[in-house]
Amino acid sequence: MLTVYDCIVSEHDLRLVALAALVCALASLTAVNLLHHVRRSGHSSRIVWLGIAAASTGFGIWATHFIAMLAFSPSLPTAYNVVLTVISLIAAVALTGIGFGAALLPGLAAAPWIGGAMVGGGIAVMHYTGMAAFEVAGTIAWDPALVASSILLGGLIGAASLFVALRSFSLRSKLVGALLLTVAICSHHFTAMGAVAITPDPAIALSSSSIRTEWLAIGVAFVSLAILLLAVVALSLDIRERRRASLEMERMRDLTDAAVEGLVLCNGDTIVTVNQSFARLAGLTSDQIVGQSLAAWIPDSSKRNKLFAALGQAVETELRNGDGTLLPVELIARQINYNGALHNVVAFRDLRDRRNAEAQIRYLAHHDPLTGLDNRASFDQRLDREIRLHRRAKRQMALLCLDLDGFKEVNDIYGHATGDRVLQDIARHLSSVLVDGQMLARLGGDEFAIIAPLVTDPVQVGQLADTLLKSLKWDEDGVPAGLVSVSIGIALYPSDAKDRTELLSSADAALYRAKTEGKGTYRFFEAAMGAQIRERRSIEHDLRSAVANNELSLAYQPQAQVDTGEVNGFEVLLRWTHPTRGKVPPSIFIPIAEDSGLILKIGEWVMREACHEAAAWMRPLTIAVNVSALQLTSDGFVEFVQSTLSQTKLPPERLEIEITETALIRDPNRALQTLQKLKALGVNIAMDDFGTGYSSLSNLRAFPFDKIKIDRSFIQAVHTNPQAAAIVRAVLGLGRGLGLPVIAEGVETSEELRFLGLEGCTEAQGYLFGRPAPIAEFVPLINDNVVVLPQPLRRAAAD
């Protein structure tokens, strides 16, 4: 009786045993590589590659068996039955193919075990069929225990080999799987051979149809060569596939690293690889992340389930990065085929910038970007809410509208950057006065508003307004402390209004009253104010279309020599005849035009009409046109004057522009530049209403004036007010000292004219010389040789 040990050591040529083991290892490695190739192949080519894998492995198992049988040396004549030998080869190939196919069945977790066991069974069938083909001059007996052991070893180890080999695509799994398959084949063969007991019997002759061992050796050599070739092919396929997979992986990694979003490739819940964007987002290296569970980075299980249940749909959740902090992210998952198996790709989009931008947008939607105060939209919402609350509670609240006086001068003189800083300082100081529950908002420009809820007494609101006025200051160097003041209009709910619109209108009316009564103060709303504001807005509305509707006209007032009555020129005055209001006084509509900015459009019309009219006169009389501060500091004013003179062909020396001192203080530097450019054109400049403005003497020295006009208020008081007479004498003396002609306005009586003549005034205008009238009433003065105002007109004026 032979043992397994005796069978290998004593009855086998160990050199051929080693060769059998080598052939078996090559066949096993070939089988594993080809199996993986079958798994990666498409459906159409899978059967072909499965057949190649079955053939190469079956031949390998068969060659291993017969090389080992050639190594078997029983010291007796031996041969092999041809038919059974061929059947054993066919059985090896067929059963191996069936086992491989079963191992690759999708959706069955135990498929590799079942397929491996079937391959082990194929090894046994091939072995015992091959042993049946073995002929020897003697009788063969079997040890049932070792036979059963050989079958069991082949099945168990074969099952384990395919499970390990197909578990992953790693080289380690392939090598271990191939080694186990080699062990399965070899252990089965030598255990089964250990079960053989041969009793020599010379009476038993070998059949004549059997193949001699020498011929079998040649056949096995060819088969072994084929196995080696198949191994080389399989190896080359594997190398090429690895290179392709490596290149594909490298391209994929390059593409994914170029992506802005973080990308994570998962096999189930396990992270296989990540791109650099995700690594940066997580705050770790790729090696630290790979192999971890996706749940470690997306802690919200419900969001993970939603992500994979709705592939391709965005899911917002939080990412736990390397230091444990949670980051807002947007996830999108898709499935791809990676290395022959379905994997999930999850894209991570960092939402921090978007969330910050959304927060900034929400902030800007309700706040003023310059001062940080609530804006108009936020103010309106709060005011509506407070009105509802106070209506239900039957309580009183106050609305304070604030407007900065003189702020435009800050922008014009010191620039908008300084103006912005002044607004910020003022907003900060006003906010410091308020208590909890009160709201300060910037409505636009230099307009602010305060909501003061739960007011018990108007006195309380007045105290708040006083505190606000006292707190007004700023920290900008170089800006005079008294240049900017604030006017406040106050309206109370529900006594002054019933809703937001009415409450704002009432507070605005009170603000207008505060500005017209001296500025730098506050006023409460009174019922009469509403009618005044509505009237003012109605006038402004109608004034906007006055030019287009031909409602404006020009009146001319002569300017004459005091001693002779000779007319030197005319001052042009604007008149407005409204279709329903009738004649609207200039004292009413001119301030409205200046406040609303309409004076720019109207002033251009006046300049064009006056120059066009004067250019048609036969006598070269001067024409004096009043220019507002807004016109003087507007862009392109000098160019407009130049083009007007050119179009009307009026000589520049016949045009006299009259400006008040208020126009100078608005923006002294810009006013000086404008006046110098006008002088360069040849236009004359007169200071109007001298003595009623600011810093008159310094203005006379700094600005290029050609004439001084004494305000009518001084002329009409020369016989009743000694101070007025003294001022007129001083101005006339100042004019003589500076070499500037002086013209007196508002001369209405012969006594006033006599006073001016005695004091040396050379030129005057007023009702005594003629009331403002259409130019048609002065035709003799402008077209004939008449140079003195006709006596009837002078008597009518005097009367």
Side-chain angles (χ1 to χ4, degrees):
M1 184 70 65
L2 295 174
T3 63
V4 175
Y5 175 81
D6 291 336
C7 175
I8 296 175
V9 176
S10 303
E11 300 297 329
H12 282 75
D13 185 343
L14 294 181
R15 291 172 299 178
L16 290 176
V17 169
L19 177 61
L22 177 61
V23 171
C24 181
L26 289 174
S28 299
L29 188 60
T30 301
V32 170
N33 283 326
L34 288 174
L35 271 179
H36 279 283
H37 194 71
V38 171
R39 176 182 277 181
R40 287 190 297 263
S41 300
H43 182 73
S44 58
S45 60
R46 178 168 294 198
I47 300 299
V48 175
W49 280 107
L50 183 61
I52 293 172
S56 62
T57 307
F59 270 86
I61 295 171
W62 184 82
T64 299
H65 170 79
F66 281 99
I67 290 173
M69 289 301 295
L70 290 173
F72 182 57
S73 304
S75 302
L76 294 172
T78 58
Y80 292 87
N81 184 283
V82 176
V83 176
L84 291 177
T85 299
V86 173
I87 291 174
S88 68
L89 176 59
I90 295 172
V93 173
L95 292 176
T96 300
I98 294 172
F100 283 172
L104 295 176
L105 287 175
L108 184 61
W113 292 98
I114 296 172
M118 293 175 69
V119 171
I123 295 170
V125 171
M126 185 284 306
H127 177 84
Y128 289 109
T129 305
M131 287 303 296
F134 181 63
E135 297 182 2
V136 64
T139 58
I140 299 175
W142 297 91
D143 183 347
L146 289 177
V147 170
S149 297
S150 68
I151 297 172
L152 187 61
L153 280 172
L156 290 177
I157 300 176
S161 68
L162 291 195
F163 170 75
V164 172
L166 297 176
R167 184 170 55 183
S168 73
F169 289 88
S170 67
L171 180 61
R172 179 180 178 181
S173 293
K174 291 181 180 180
L175 292 176
V176 174
L179 178 61
L180 287 174
L181 185 57
T182 301
V183 172
I185 297 170
C186 292
S187 63
H188 169 84
H189 175 83
F190 290 106
T191 303
M193 291 304 295
V196 174
I198 301 175
T199 302
D201 186 356
I204 299 176
L206 301 179
S207 62
S208 60
S209 61
S210 61
I211 185 172
R212 298 296 176 181
T213 302
E214 294 79 8
W215 289 104
L216 179 63
I218 295 173
V220 170
F222 279 111
V223 171
S224 298
L225 180 60
I227 293 171
L228 288 173
L229 290 175
L230 287 173
V232 170
V233 171
L235 185 60
S236 64
L237 284 174
D238 186 64
I239 291 173
R240 189 181 68 178
E241 188 65 27
R242 282 177 175 277
R243 184 179 293 112
R244 186 192 63 79
S246 177
L247 291 174
E248 183 179 348
M249 176 65 75
E250 187 174 347
R251 285 197 299 269
M252 181 181 293
R253 186 176 295 109
D254 290 341
L255 288 173
T256 57
D257 285 342
V260 176
E261 289 85 1
L263 296 177
V264 176
L265 181 67
C266 298
N267 184 7
D269 195 51
T270 303
I271 297 177
V272 176
T273 184
V274 300
N275 68 346
Q276 290 300 315
S277 295
F278 181 82
R280 286 192 296 269
L281 189 62
L284 297 173
T285 65
S286 300
D287 293 338
Q288 292 174 304
I289 300 171
V290 171
Q292 295 192 31
S293 170
L294 188 64
W297 306 97
I298 309 176
D300 192 334
S301 59
S302 62
K303 292 298 177 68
R304 290 199 310 274
N305 295 335
K306 182 179 179 181
L307 175 68
F308 294 117
L311 295 176
Q313 295 186 9
V315 175
E316 290 191 11
T317 184
E318 290 180 321
L319 166 72
R320 179 186 286 120
N321 65 8
D323 60 8
T325 58
L326 296 176
L327 306 177
V329 291
E330 182 182 70
L331 309 179
I332 298 178
R334 297 186 185 278
Q335 282 192 334
I336 64 170
N337 192 301
Y338 177 78
N339 280 347
L342 287 178
H343 286 66
N344 292 316
V345 175
V346 183
F348 287 73
R349 180 173 297 164
D350 189 352
L351 295 184
R352 284 178 294 182
D353 289 342
R354 192 171 84 183
R355 294 281 175 85
N356 291 337
E358 290 172 351
Q360 182 68 11
I361 291 172
R362 286 194 298 270
Y363 178 84
L364 292 177
H366 295 89
H367 292 82
D368 170 49
L370 177 64
T371 62
L373 299 176
D374 289 274
N375 62 8
R376 185 60 181 260
S378 180
F379 168 80
D380 288 345
Q381 294 176 4
R382 172 71 183 276
L383 187 57
D384 286 337
R385 185 169 65 252
E386 291 294 342
I387 288 175
R388 291 194 299 269
L389 293 174
H390 285 73
R391 182 185 297 122
R392 289 196 295 266
K394 296 182 179 180
R395 300 290 299 272
Q396 185 173 239
M397 62 173 288
L399 173 64
L400 294 81
C401 285
L402 295 78
D403 188 82
L404 301 182
D405 309 313
F407 179 71
K408 189 177 188 308
E409 281 70 21
V410 173
N411 277 335
D412 292 341
I413 297 172
Y414 301 100
H416 288 280
T418 300
D420 289 346
R421 290 193 293 270
V422 169
L423 283 175
Q424 291 170 337
D425 293 336
I426 290 175
R428 186 171 62 254
H429 290 297
L430 292 177
S431 299
S432 66
V433 175
L434 303 184
V435 298
D436 291 341
Q438 296 176 345
M439 175 188 183
L440 172 65
R442 184 187 179 204
L443 304 186
D446 58 352
E447 300 177 15
F448 298 84
I450 295 175
I451 299 174
L454 303 177
V455 172
T456 58
D457 194 309
V459 175
Q460 178 185 355
V461 186
Q463 292 173 347
L464 173 61
D466 278 327
T467 306
L468 291 169
L469 294 175
K470 292 176 183 177
S471 72
L472 183 63
K473 57 184 178 180
W474 54 90
D475 304 325
E476 275 303 306
D477 295 335
V479 181
L483 186 58
V484 177
S485 61
V486 65
S487 298
I488 304 176
I490 306 172
L492 301 175
Y493 174 86
S495 57
D496 295 336
K498 304 302 180 185
D499 56 30
R500 171 167 55 87
T501 302
E502 191 176 347
L503 189 62
L504 281 167
S505 178
S506 298
D508 190 52
L511 174 63
Y512 179 73
R513 174 64 63 84
K515 294 178 75 69
T516 57
E517 293 185 0
K519 303 179 180 179
T521 185
Y522 68 90
R523 291 290 181 268
F524 281 89
F525 174 77
E526 298 173 3
M529 293 180 182
Q532 294 174 358
I533 292 297
R534 288 191 294 273
E535 176 67 10
R536 183 181 186 278
R537 289 175 177 168
S538 176
I539 292 175
E540 179 182 336
H541 177 270
D542 294 344
L543 189 58
R544 292 184 182 277
S545 56
V547 174
N549 295 337
N550 295 318
E551 297 172 8
L552 298 181
S553 61
L554 298 181
Y556 297 81
Q557 187 172 31
Q559 296 175 335
Q561 293 292 112
V562 171
D563 54 350
T564 64
E566 179 182 351
V567 176
N568 300 324
F570 291 89
E571 178 182 4
V572 63
L573 302 171
L574 182 62
R575 296 292 183 262
W576 180 22
T577 303
H578 191 275
T580 57
R581 299 175 186 272
K583 295 185 180 297
V584 183
S587 59
I588 292 178
F589 74 82
I590 292 295
I592 294 175
E594 291 179 341
D595 291 342
S596 63
L598 293 173
I599 195 65
L600 294 175
K601 177 182 177 182
I602 294 174
E604 290 181 354
W605 179 85
V606 171
M607 181 70 72
R608 281 193 295 266
E609 290 294 313
C611 291
H612 183 269
E613 175 61 41
W617 299 343
M618 295 180 63
R619 294 186 60 208
L621 302 176
T622 61
I623 185 75
V625 180
N626 289 280
V627 172
S628 70
L630 193 61
Q631 288 177 273
L632 188 66
T633 56
S634 64
D635 293 334
F637 177 69
V638 175
E639 290 75 11
F640 165 73
V641 173
Q642 184 177 17
S643 65
T644 301
L645 292 173
S646 176
Q647 291 170 6
T648 60
K649 295 181 172 56
L650 179 71
E653 62 272 11
R654 290 183 58 192
L655 175 63
E656 184 177 276
I657 289 180
E658 297 185 356
I659 61 172
T660 63
E661 291 175 291
T662 304
L664 304 180
I665 197 170
R666 184 185 188 96
D667 190 345
N669 293 331
R670 192 166 186 176
L672 177 60
Q673 292 176 3
T674 302
L675 294 180
Q676 288 174 340
K677 292 178 181 178
L678 290 172
K679 286 288 292 180
L681 295 178
V683 175
N684 294 306
I685 311 296
M687 176 181 281
D688 198 11
D689 299 337
F690 182 77
T692 61
Y694 309 96
S695 307
S696 301
L697 296 180
S698 64
N699 288 337
L700 287 176
R701 180 173 60 86
F703 293 92
F705 291 107
D706 299 294
K707 186 182 291 185
I708 302 174
K709 297 186 75 172
I710 305 177
D711 186 69
R712 70 180 66 239
S713 62
F714 298 112
I715 302 301
Q716 294 170 356
V718 293
H719 293 295
T720 60
N721 190 323
Q723 289 84 2
I727 291 173
V728 172
R729 292 189 186 98
V731 173
L732 291 171
L734 182 65
R736 285 192 296 272
L738 295 175
L740 293 176
V742 178
I743 180 172
E745 291 186 292
V747 179
E748 298 183 358
T749 65
S750 56
E751 289 79 8
E752 294 170 356
L753 183 63
R754 189 178 301 110
F755 173 85
L756 293 172
L758 293 173
E759 296 298 332
C761 183
T762 59
E763 193 173 354
Q765 79 178 74
Y767 287 178
L768 184 63
F769 297 96
R771 293 178 180 271
I775 195 64
E777 297 188 15
F778 301 105
V779 169
L781 289 176
I782 60 176
N783 289 335
D784 298 335
N785 292 325
V786 178
V787 296
V788 180
L789 193 68
Q791 202 65 16
L793 285 178
R794 296 182 65 182
R795 282 199 301 269
D799 295 340

